[in-house]
Amino acid sequence: MELGIKGKRAVVTGAGQGIGRETALVLAQEGAVVCVSDINDSRGKETVEEICERGGNWNLYSCGCGGAGGDQAPLSDGCRAVGKRGYFN
């Protein structure tokens, strides 16, 4: 599949499981730098490990993504950091 996203940056929330995880894996496989965001650190790290095993580029950002009335600043910080490989918590 050629999505034309090689080198693009992508933020995937809920990337620790289910549709979010599969989305992150496909985006990384297609060459995007993926910011993996999940409220569950261990699941997010599992997604990152799989991306690494497949040779992809990643960031891991742990946050609750705000929710109703919540603080969205942590996710904003993570989005700005996409492109710098590392773990943000």
Side-chain angles (χ1 to χ4, degrees), residues 31-53:
V33 177
V34 180
C35 178
V36 172
S37 173
D38 200 275
I39 195 168
N40 184 316
D41 282 342
S42 63
R43 287 187 179 150
K45 288 176 184 177
E46 288 172 6
T47 300
V48 166
E49 288 171 8
E50 189 162 348
I51 289 172
C52 288
E53 288 171 6

